[in-house]
Amino acid sequence: MKKQAIIGSTIINGTGSAPLCNGTILIQGGKILEVGKADQIKLGPDTERIDATGKFTMPGIIDSHVHVTPNQDVPNDIRINLRVGFNSISLLRQSLGAGVTTVVSIGGGPPSVELTNAINEGYVDRCANQITAGVVNASGGHVRGRHADGPWEIRKAVRELASAGCTMIKTAATAGFQWEHERVHWPDYTEEELTALVDEARMRDMPVAAHAHGHEGLKYAVNARVHMIHHGALIDDEGLEAINKADLYFVPTLFTTSIGRVAKVEQPWTKERMEAAYPIHREGVSKAHKMGTKIALGTDGGAGDAMIELSEFVDCGLSPMDAIVAGTRNTADALSILDRVGTIESGKDADLLIIGKNPLNDINVLQNQDNIDLVMTHGKVQTTSNEMKVYLNPRLDGPPRRIVRVNVDM
């Protein structure tokens, strides 16, 4: 199998260690074989070289909270489902072009599993990798998915979603901004119910993300040992201390209350709640960083909004390096996929970005797609700038042809 090498760039490996100047990344079979200085790695004459001299190579960004599709309770209508699927492919392709190589479809549920499989098997190309989360929600609660109340019905719901192919669970521990009838401080589930959900998910190796803005519901989620708290827009010191003590990940989704996002909100009650949360949200992230809380990236936004989230992190006091680690290594760890992606290390998938400008000097350069010269997933160049288009195969390819035989009585 032919080898590839990215040569000449400064490597920001996602672990937080010092950048490696004039580095080489050797790739084979979609995996990283070696990483080191140019004079440490011997390249054979048949190795395909990608010249990134003067540029910066980093892991692809991971967004752990995107509504790639509507909620999983989409009507069972083939026309609607086809439209949802086409829209999903478009969003995942745009995400990839923006430098986001893995996206969690946070509310997709079983209908999204087939798209995830199609991407993994090569039937749909040039898309960001997708992880499918199934939603378990309380009756009348904030999120919409598999309605379940009480510990045993909740356990059944998790089992159903696992058997349908979902690899992650999302739930809501508190209400939110969206629905007029709800109040943000309302808990959605009791601690007993959340504990049953997390216990069942952990038995199936499914990480659990809990929508929680603060108050009692957030504490219930922490006590239940969810893997990560998403949002925390109204989080207080007690909530931050609880997350820290439990060693959980905080995924603040600052994009949800960002000025640009709020300006587009039409419902007056939602806009009012988001505007009120804006300073509290950012103060919470700033405190979390100073406390040493594990921070990961999710946006509750769309294609490429992860790059805005990185800038929001820096505005809250994280260094550009801290922000990149949050959006790569930490998010992979929160999603239990750090063995495959998130850093540039031997044995990992070659999901990589080549950047024309130094993001450690200015994290905002990642918001401009013109600065993203090349995006690679599984060792395959997926999209490039004009400058590096020589490395992009213009031909469409797909998985090996399969002959499906159907026995028919004649």
Side-chain angles (χ1 to χ4, degrees):
M1 192 174 292
K2 189 164 285 190
K3 294 180 181 179
Q4 305 163 276
I6 298 174
I7 60 173
S9 71
T10 297
I11 300 171
I12 304 167
N13 70 8
T15 68
S17 61
L20 178 66
C21 298
N22 192 22
T24 295
I25 303 170
L26 187 61
I27 300 161
Q28 186 176 37
K31 300 283 187 180
I32 298 169
L33 288 182
E34 293 182 73
V35 183
K37 279 196 161 292
D39 58 2
Q40 296 173 331
I41 298 178
K42 185 176 180 180
L43 302 181
D46 294 334
T47 301
E48 294 181 353
R49 291 161 170 80
I50 296 175
D51 187 357
T53 302
K55 300 182 186 297
F56 302 82
T57 304
M58 58 180 279
I61 297 298
I62 304 169
D63 192 334
S64 69
H65 194 126
V66 178
H67 290 275
V68 178
T69 68
N71 295 314
Q72 65 193 44
D73 54 354
V74 172
N76 189 20
D77 181 299
I78 189 169
R79 292 167 299 179
I80 295 175
N81 287 325
L82 280 171
R83 176 62 65 182
V84 167
F86 295 147
N87 288 343
S88 300
I89 291 168
S90 176
L91 187 149
L92 292 170
R93 285 180 172 166
Q94 291 176 51
S95 296
L96 189 68
V100 180
T101 52
T102 299
V103 167
V104 174
S105 179
I106 199 67
S112 293
V113 170
E114 282 309 312
L115 177 56
T116 296
N117 292 341
I119 293 168
N120 292 342
E121 294 169 12
Y123 286 93
V124 179
D125 68 349
R126 296 184 183 174
C127 285
N129 304 309
Q130 179 174 259
I131 295 170
T132 306
V135 176
V136 179
N137 64 282
S139 295
H142 175 73
V143 294
R144 301 290 185 268
R146 169 59 165 88
H147 302 270
D149 299 302
W152 289 106
E153 183 63 22
I154 288 169
R155 285 182 181 274
K156 180 180 179 182
V158 173
R159 293 167 185 168
E160 289 175 354
L161 292 170
S163 67
C166 298
T167 56
M168 177 177 165
I169 295 292
K170 178 196 176 182
T171 191
T174 72
F177 301 134
Q178 185 175 4
W179 311 113
E180 186 174 10
H181 77 275
E182 63 182 345
R183 300 296 177 266
V184 180
H185 65 275
W186 289 356
D188 262 20
Y189 272 137
T190 65
E191 187 174 325
E192 178 189 20
E193 289 173 311
L194 285 170
T195 299
L197 184 151
V198 174
D199 181 58
E200 198 66 40
R202 284 184 179 273
M203 286 194 289
R204 284 156 179 75
D205 300 319
M206 302 171 79
V208 178
H211 162 112
H213 283 298
H215 311 292
E216 290 302 310
L218 187 147
K219 296 169 197 171
Y220 294 163
V222 170
N223 292 341
R225 299 285 299 167
V226 301
H227 294 75
M228 53 198 123
I229 297 292
H230 283 219
H231 304 312
L234 299 175
I235 199 165
D236 57 17
D237 290 350
E238 187 178 354
L240 288 170
E241 289 165 5
I243 291 173
N244 242 22
K245 185 176 179 180
D247 197 32
L248 306 180
Y249 273 99
F250 180 27
V251 182
T253 67
L254 287 162
F255 179 77
T256 56
T257 57
S258 64
I259 293 172
R261 169 71 177 273
V262 175
K264 297 177 182 178
V265 172
E266 295 180 358
Q267 299 92 338
W269 58 87
T270 302
K271 184 185 287 283
E272 181 181 349
R273 294 166 186 172
M274 286 180 166
E275 288 174 343
Y278 179 90
I280 304 169
H281 204 176
R282 281 145 188 80
E283 182 181 5
V285 174
S286 179
K287 286 182 177 180
H289 174 58
K290 291 173 183 175
M291 293 169 64
T293 305
K294 297 191 301 186
I295 296 174
L297 189 148
T299 60
D300 203 358
D305 290 334
M307 302 312 189
I308 298 174
E309 189 78 8
L310 293 175
S311 296
E312 289 273 4
F313 282 162
V314 172
D315 289 344
C316 288
L318 281 71
S319 69
M321 179 68 86
D322 292 333
I324 289 171
V325 172
T328 55
R329 183 214 170 274
N330 284 5
T331 309
D333 191 33
L335 297 172
S336 300
I337 56 172
L338 185 56
D339 61 323
R340 305 199 312 268
V341 295
T343 60
I344 302 178
E345 296 176 291
S346 298
K348 299 287 184 77
D349 290 349
D351 289 2
L352 306 170
L353 310 180
I354 297 178
I355 311 298
K357 295 183 179 179
N358 189 352
L360 298 179
N361 289 342
D362 181 6
I363 198 70
N364 295 319
V365 302
L366 295 174
Q367 290 188 41
N368 185 346
Q369 197 166 326
D370 290 342
N371 295 324
I372 300 176
D373 283 319
L374 183 146
V375 180
M376 170 185 287
T377 58
H378 305 287
K380 180 179 178 181
V381 176
Q382 300 285 7
T383 181
T384 69
S385 63
N386 283 334
E387 178 187 354
M388 302 192 79
K389 66 182 180 181
V390 65
Y391 303 114
L392 179 66
N393 180 0
R395 296 186 181 275
L396 296 176
D397 54 13
R401 289 184 61 191
R402 297 180 182 177
I403 299 175
V404 179
R405 302 188 187 277
V406 180
N407 294 322
V408 179
D409 292 332
M410 300 300 290

